[in-house]
Amino acid sequence: MVSGAPMEEPEHSDLRRRRTRGSAAVAVAAATGALVAFTDGEATAAPAQEPALAEATQGARVTMPSPLGPTEPPYPPGGVGDATVVARITVYADGTVGAVEVEGEEPFASAAARAAPSWRFEPARRDGRPIGARILFPVRFRDPRAATPAAPPAAPAAPSPPRGSIATVPPSPPAAAQAIDVVVVGERGAPMTTSMTREEVRQVPGAFGDPFRAIEAMPGVTPIASGVPYFFVRGAPPGNVGYFIDGVRVPLLYHVALGPSVIHPALVERVDLYPGGFPARFGRYTGGVIAGETREPARLLHGEANLRLFDAGALVEAPWADGRGTALVGGRYAYPGALLALFSPGVELGYWDYQARVTYDASPYDRVGLFAFGSHDYLAQIEDDGDTDVVLAGDFHRLDLRYDRFFARGGRLRHAITLGHEESENQDGERAGRARLLGARVELSAPVSERLTARAGVDAQLERFDIDIRENDGDFPTRNDRALARLFTSREDLAAGLWADVVVRAAPGFEVVPGLRGDLFASGGATRATVDPRLATRLQATPRVALLSAFGVTHQPPSFLGAVPGMQVGGLRGGVQTGLLASAGVELRLPGEIKATITGFRSGFFDLSDALGNRPPGTDAGLAQRAELRGAGSAHGLEIHAHRSLSKRIGGFVSYTLSRSIRHVGRETFDSAFDRRHVLNMAAAVDVGRGWKLGGRAVFYSGIPMTVDYDLWDNDGVDGQRPDGNDDRPDTEQDIRRRERLRERLAQVVRRLSLPERLPAFFRLDLRLEKRWILRKGRTVSLTVEVLNATAGKKTLQYECSLLHGCEPQTLGPITLPSIGAEATF
């Protein structure tokens, strides 16, 4: 048999391929109906035999794929006699069949290839978690025309063995030796990494089948508001969290107004959250890293289409050049006009995205590819006078040209060049910012020995920013406007880095990963060089208990609220931000195929620019002014996560984070403005039979610190109102004195009211109901009804206080998002 193209599965990044010979391997394949080998660490050159399989699965409970129905194809016309062919089948984590390659005599091989896509499997599982696998599967044909042979004479009955003795069975003669392929999938995720596959996320209520939308349910993640896809990760603000797709940095992951992610879910294999101490491959962010990995190219025509109340999407992939190449195209388009006309008149909303990928295998070990993707978002408010006030408008595009070299002993070398374009508009609909990007990277992962794997890389990117925010300044720019102009300037930025780490299996069950990264930053004529050491360990203390730890130093240029296309903070005033990220925990394998982790973490941030969290009590500074405040921060806490595969008949998870996030600005020390002490996510999904699946998810956040917005320029005749009614002109000394007097009077009112120290807690319930029909030849059709925030909970943002009206809570919502959709796959 000839090896096919390398394939990745949900819990790994590299592939190990081995060609072996031996009757023992064939005997295993014949006995189980499928042959596949797994490891928890990097794969090794294990021979295809039972001892090797036991060694490969040491430290992990692995089950192989098994068919859920008959797998005997119709006997083909022109066939003669019984026959057996061997199929190499890709079984995805949802049990569906992907690529199929068959070797054997015709017409049986073709008949097996036509029938295999309609089969359904119980997927392979590692520690109870469904994973993708490529298996060798014998397909047997029985000639229906063959006469049933007469039964041979009965042999004399063997005497029964004495009671208490062990009966023996004569061994079967060994099968003839032949060459086979054994796919050994490996490289365990980095310690302290949380991963979710698309198949898992399909069952998470409130995620709408989108892998990236499930991030908020992971431990250590605190959304700034319910359903809003911008997060604090272990105390790090949204502007310090990096987004990557296949190693390509992107400015955002989600469409506007609670929209889906910018990548079609059918293209996503898994999403990894690195909350701290992440591998040396990732850098230039002091908070967490969210990395999405796309599915390997499939050698079989397949596709997926979905239709919802507010958008539609589709993805199709097909082979070409006799299977050596693949071509994929996908995208989504929103049409929310009808819903907005009913629920939010005066609001204009739209978004779309696209993905295209072409690959070609020049040889079994060489692949070239081109991956293009991008998105567009638009949100505007129609004023009473008919004018359009643009709230958000922007788009980004990426083109990644890559060459992969797969090594015979495992590992991969990737060369890639990336081109990018980003653009945003201001409130007047004119361009506010544009960025053009040119990047290059080289990544190497190669096993040096059975106990040592080396990984290294170099990457650089050059960005040109053209930013014009003068339209926002008006005739009388405020202090916040002037701060905004200082932060966002036209310029060229350069970032270049060199990194390396080593996966050392020092002893059975013990793995240590030391790493080092160096970066050079240049912006606005200033340069800074940084060095980031990293260290991660995993000790398998017992078959059910593992001890994990991770530590890392990270650096990042100044940041703002979050990534906006074409708009990033320029210059290196105050130097670069520094993060010290440490965590330690225990991983448990519990009865009932439940995996649990308990993790303690401590994070420190220096020269931190946090426009959201750096809000000292009583300040009325704008976001840009607060972004210029450079201080320090820290966070510490405990994370608990227990999970049972949602693809099981009964599955679910519990994710709880207890934490505290602190900021230090000047001489003041205070809780971060988005410090939430308690964040709890609980979800369950039940397969009630006949293709019906019901799920629910409960979300609870404790309140953030109390913030008060003093209405200093109340237009109802409050003493202190600006005489000319112009709130945009610069402050005079008289304005400042009047404001201070009014602030003191308002502070007295607030003290008499005895407002609580924290805003009210928030609770929401998400529901999901799905009916799926499995048709012939692997086709499926499903109908899904899903509701985000079915309890219509409101979020309290702050209190607004004035002398005339006292203090009133300012709420957001209720933000309730219903969805009725249909999905079809083939």
Side-chain angles (χ1 to χ4, degrees):
M1 297 178 65
V2 180
S3 296
M7 182 201 71
E8 296 181 3
E9 55 92 88
E11 292 188 290
H12 64 283
S13 62
D14 286 337
L15 172 77
R16 300 294 178 262
R17 299 182 296 173
R18 296 290 178 264
R19 174 180 290 272
T20 60
R21 294 180 179 271
S23 59
V26 179
V28 174
T32 63
L35 177 60
V36 63
F38 303 85
T39 76
D40 266 354
E42 287 277 2
T44 60
Q49 52 189 6
E50 291 182 348
L53 182 60
E55 178 183 356
T57 58
Q58 184 178 3
R61 299 175 57 189
V62 177
T63 59
M64 300 179 186
S66 57
L68 295 176
T71 56
E72 291 190 4
Y75 195 84
V80 178
D82 295 344
T84 298
V85 297
V86 178
R88 185 192 295 112
I89 301 175
T90 298
V91 180
Y92 291 131
D94 61 355
T96 58
V97 173
V100 178
E101 300 176 12
V102 182
E103 284 202 3
E105 297 181 358
E106 293 290 358
F108 303 105
S110 297
R114 289 191 299 267
S118 65
W119 299 340
R120 187 83 175 181
F121 285 78
E122 172 67 23
R125 296 180 184 273
R126 178 185 283 118
D127 299 314
R129 185 176 184 180
I131 57 177
R134 189 169 63 188
I135 62 175
L136 293 178
F137 192 82
V139 183
R140 298 178 175 85
F141 294 84
R142 294 179 174 83
D143 191 344
R145 298 162 297 189
T148 303
S160 301
R163 184 177 298 274
S165 65
I166 300 177
T168 59
V169 179
S172 301
Q178 72 178 78
I180 65 171
D181 277 348
V182 179
V183 177
V184 184
V185 259
E187 188 171 325
R188 181 204 312 279
M192 304 300 175
T193 302
T194 305
S195 300
M196 295 195 76
T197 66
R198 195 271 172 117
E199 286 72 19
E200 280 277 294
V201 174
R202 283 183 57 89
Q203 310 301 330
V204 177
F208 302 102
D210 196 322
F212 291 103
R213 287 196 65 89
I215 291 171
E216 69 165 340
M218 297 183 179
V221 176
T222 303
I224 62 175
S226 172
V228 178
Y230 289 95
F231 319 105
F232 281 77
V233 177
R234 289 185 178 174
N240 293 38
V241 178
Y243 303 142
F244 294 86
I245 296 176
D246 273 3
V248 178
R249 182 185 62 81
V250 295
L252 48 84
L253 285 177
Y254 308 93
H255 287 295
V256 67
L258 305 184
S261 67
V262 297
I263 294 292
H264 195 287
L267 184 57
V268 179
E269 181 68 53
R270 74 181 191 278
V271 175
D272 299 324
L273 169 66
Y274 301 93
F278 32 83
R281 174 191 177 197
F282 297 105
R284 301 171 192 155
Y285 290 96
T286 58
V289 166
I290 298 170
E293 297 293 334
T294 61
R295 280 189 167 183
E296 273 288 304
R299 310 293 166 173
L300 188 73
L301 176 65
H302 71 98
E304 178 176 311
N306 60 281
L307 179 67
R308 298 190 293 186
L309 293 176
F310 41 84
D311 65 16
L315 182 142
V316 178
E317 186 173 24
W320 57 280
D322 295 328
R324 298 180 67 178
T326 65
L328 176 147
V329 62
R332 245 179 318 212
Y333 181 78
Y335 42 84
L339 288 178
L340 292 175
L342 292 175
F343 299 102
S344 300
V347 175
E348 291 185 353
L349 170 66
Y351 59 80
W352 49 258
D353 60 62
Y354 68 90
Q355 303 86 41
R357 185 177 67 183
V358 178
T359 67
Y360 180 77
D361 289 350
S363 77
Y365 299 101
D366 295 274
R367 175 186 297 168
V368 293
L370 185 65
F371 182 30
F373 60 98
S375 76
H376 172 80
D377 292 275
Y378 181 81
L379 176 64
Q381 177 75 41
I382 308 299
E383 304 294 344
D384 294 337
D385 58 5
D387 292 339
T388 300
D389 184 9
V390 177
V391 179
L392 186 150
D395 55 75
F396 81 89
H397 309 273
R398 293 290 187 270
L399 181 65
D400 196 51
L401 175 64
R402 54 187 67 165
Y403 162 71
D404 293 314
R405 171 68 179 179
F406 299 92
F407 304 128
R409 296 187 61 246
R412 183 184 67 181
L413 174 66
R414 167 168 287 184
H415 299 264
I417 297 176
T418 305
L419 301 177
H421 177 86
E422 305 173 14
E423 191 167 314
S424 294
E425 297 179 5
N426 60 22
Q427 293 181 348
D428 298 327
E430 299 181 12
R431 191 183 74 215
R434 181 177 67 183
R436 287 160 290 182
L437 177 147
L438 172 63
R441 67 189 187 278
V442 178
E443 300 173 350
L444 170 68
S445 176
V448 179
S449 67
E450 293 185 3
R451 294 190 174 185
L452 187 67
T453 299
R455 302 182 300 202
V458 59
D459 61 274
Q461 64 180 32
L462 177 66
E463 292 182 275
R464 170 63 188 176
F465 291 90
D466 296 312
I467 299 177
D468 186 357
I469 59 173
R470 289 176 298 176
E471 294 86 348
N472 298 331
D473 296 344
D475 296 330
F476 301 101
T478 65
R479 287 179 295 175
N480 193 69
D481 291 332
R482 293 192 291 269
L484 197 66
R486 289 191 298 268
L487 290 173
F488 295 94
T489 58
S490 297
R491 66 196 187 276
E492 287 187 354
D493 286 359
L494 172 67
L498 179 68
W499 61 271
D501 61 17
V502 181
V503 182
V504 182
R505 288 166 290 276
F510 179 59
E511 180 179 283
V512 58
V513 187
L516 187 66
R517 181 181 182 93
D519 281 293
L520 174 67
F521 301 96
S523 177
T527 59
R528 294 287 190 278
T530 62
V531 177
D532 300 353
R534 313 281 174 83
L535 179 66
T537 65
R538 178 187 179 91
L539 174 62
Q540 193 73 41
T542 72
R544 291 184 175 270
V545 179
L547 305 179
L548 313 175
S549 71
F551 171 79
V553 178
T554 60
H555 290 89
Q556 176 183 354
S559 58
F560 196 53
L561 299 179
V564 177
M567 299 286 289
Q568 293 185 31
V569 174
L572 300 174
R573 298 182 185 89
V576 296
Q577 303 178 79
T578 302
L580 301 179
L581 313 176
S583 58
V586 57
E587 181 182 275
L588 307 173
R589 310 288 181 173
L590 303 178
E593 299 183 349
I594 297 175
K595 176 183 175 181
T597 57
I598 303 174
T599 305
F601 68 88
R602 175 81 179 186
S603 304
F605 309 102
F606 306 92
D607 295 319
L608 179 66
S609 55
D610 180 7
L612 291 173
N614 285 350
R615 184 172 182 176
T619 182
D620 63 344
L623 288 172
Q625 292 174 273
R626 298 205 299 268
E628 288 190 315
L629 297 176
R630 303 300 293 274
S634 63
H636 58 275
L638 180 71
E639 301 166 357
I640 300 175
H641 186 247
H643 172 267
R644 189 173 193 262
S645 175
L646 289 167
S647 63
K648 289 183 171 295
R649 193 178 70 84
I650 300 178
F653 64 84
V654 176
S655 175
Y656 171 67
T657 302
L658 170 67
S659 65
R660 185 183 183 189
S661 182
I662 303 172
R663 296 291 183 263
H664 311 275
V665 177
R667 296 182 178 181
E668 295 189 77
T669 298
F670 51 92
D671 288 337
S672 167
F674 283 86
D675 170 50
R676 299 189 192 276
R677 300 294 173 83
H678 306 277
V679 178
L680 175 66
N681 281 268
M682 296 188 300
V686 180
D687 188 343
V688 297
R690 297 184 178 273
W692 290 93
K693 199 146 192 176
L694 176 65
R697 175 182 167 204
V699 181
F700 171 82
Y701 308 145
S702 60
I704 60 178
M706 170 65 68
T707 55
V708 177
D709 181 20
Y710 295 106
D711 193 354
L712 299 179
W713 307 118
D714 195 304
N715 291 322
D716 294 326
V718 175
D719 180 22
Q721 177 184 351
R722 286 183 171 177
D724 58 6
N726 189 344
D727 296 346
D728 291 331
R729 65 172 173 79
D731 292 339
T732 65
E733 293 184 5
Q734 184 180 4
D735 292 332
I736 296 173
R737 289 194 299 269
R738 185 182 294 115
R739 183 173 64 244
E740 293 303 325
R741 290 196 302 269
L742 184 56
R743 181 183 298 281
E744 180 57 31
R745 293 171 61 186
L746 285 172
Q748 293 175 3
V749 173
V750 172
R751 285 193 293 268
R752 286 198 301 268
L753 291 175
S754 300
L755 295 177
E757 294 184 357
R758 289 184 171 262
L759 296 175
F762 174 80
F763 173 81
R764 86 167 195 249
L765 180 65
D766 305 334
L767 299 175
R768 183 179 188 274
L769 177 65
E770 180 189 45
K771 167 63 176 176
R772 173 171 287 198
W773 294 269
I774 300 177
L775 309 179
R776 298 182 59 186
K777 298 184 178 180
R779 299 183 179 95
T780 66
V781 175
S782 61
L783 178 66
T784 304
V785 179
E786 196 163 359
V787 181
L788 173 76
N789 193 16
T791 47
K794 292 184 178 182
K795 179 66 182 173
T796 302
L797 302 177
Q798 64 181 12
Y799 274 73
E800 185 175 279
C801 297
S802 69
L803 291 177
L804 288 183
H805 302 99
C807 295
E808 299 177 348
Q810 304 298 304
T811 60
L812 174 67
I815 298 178
T816 299
L817 187 61
S819 174
I820 301 176
E823 179 182 289
T825 65
F826 67 91

